[in-house]
Amino acid sequence: MVDETRQTAGRARTAGTRGGGSAFGGVRRRGAGVELTPGHWVVVILTVIIVLVAIAIPLKNYFQQRGEIARLETSIAAKEQRQKDIAAEIDKFSNDAYKDELARNRFGTTKPGELAYRINDPRMTDDNSLTSVAEDLIVEYPWYEDLWRSVTVPPDPDQLEEQEDVAQ
């Protein structure tokens, strides 16, 4: 019985291909390629475009997100380094010796029982002082830089008041 079902199944399979035809009933010639009509080409091209778009958009998003992740990791690393620097500075200011040194250098303070000495430089004249004079701070620029600064830099409000007082 099993042999009979195998033989009938084999006949059914080969029955559609008798006479050199294809299983779908058409005549198939050896060496003949499949010809696509313009309608088929349009469908193939549209399918390729849809596949490319379906792949391109996620790839674009992926690379944008990778760039954003890299930028954020760099920012995080910089902020962690800044945090370490601030922590080190806080540790310095918690040290009493460092605070004393800062006070001595900036404000000229002394500890009780110490003597402060001021050494005069022989190169200094009587008119030299520790603070600068306003005339010393004025910088002379070439005429073209003065012209450019007069156009680009807004005037100081105090200078405007002085000019108005002089004009009156």
Side-chain angles (χ1 to χ4, degrees):
M1 176 103 179
V2 174
D3 290 333
E4 290 176 12
T5 57
R6 283 187 189 168
Q7 290 175 356
T8 56
R11 283 188 217 137
R13 266 188 269 145
T14 58
T17 59
R18 279 198 184 145
S22 69
F24 300 108
V27 176
R28 184 172 179 194
R29 288 185 251 153
R30 220 177 231 190
V34 176
E35 293 183 27
L36 294 177
T37 63
H40 288 117
W41 279 111
V42 169
V43 171
V44 168
I45 290 172
L46 286 176
T47 305
V48 168
I49 289 172
I50 290 171
V51 168
L52 288 177
V53 168
I55 291 172
I57 292 173
L59 277 178
K60 183 184 116 186
N61 291 340
Y62 171 77
F63 286 116
Q64 282 179 344
Q65 290 171 354
R66 294 301 298 171
E68 183 71 13
I69 288 171
R71 186 186 64 79
L72 290 174
E73 285 174 348
T74 304
S75 174
I76 289 170
K79 288 181 180 175
E80 286 175 347
Q81 181 61 40
R82 176 73 177 135
Q83 184 180 10
K84 289 178 185 175
D85 293 344
I86 290 173
E89 193 170 337
I90 288 172
D91 289 342
K92 277 196 303 188
F93 280 103
S94 66
N95 186 356
D96 289 335
Y98 182 74
K99 288 189 275 188
D100 289 343
E101 181 184 344
L102 280 179
R104 287 172 185 245
N105 290 339
R106 288 188 181 179
F107 307 117
T109 60
T110 59
K111 290 185 177 180
E114 288 183 341
L115 293 176
Y117 294 98
R118 178 170 289 181
I119 300 173
N120 291 327
D121 189 359
R123 294 174 287 181
M124 292 179 65
T125 60
D126 292 337
D127 62 339
N128 288 344
S129 62
L130 296 176
T131 60
S132 59
V133 181
E135 290 85 27
D136 294 340
L137 297 177
I138 297 174
V139 179
E140 294 293 326
Y141 295 105
W143 67 270
Y144 51 87
E145 285 188 26
D146 281 334
L147 177 65
W148 182 250
R149 287 179 190 279
S150 69
V151 174
T152 59
V153 178
D156 207 14
D158 296 334
Q159 290 178 348
L160 289 176
E161 291 176 6
E162 290 176 8
Q163 290 176 356
E164 289 174 1
D165 292 339
V166 171
Q168 293 176 357

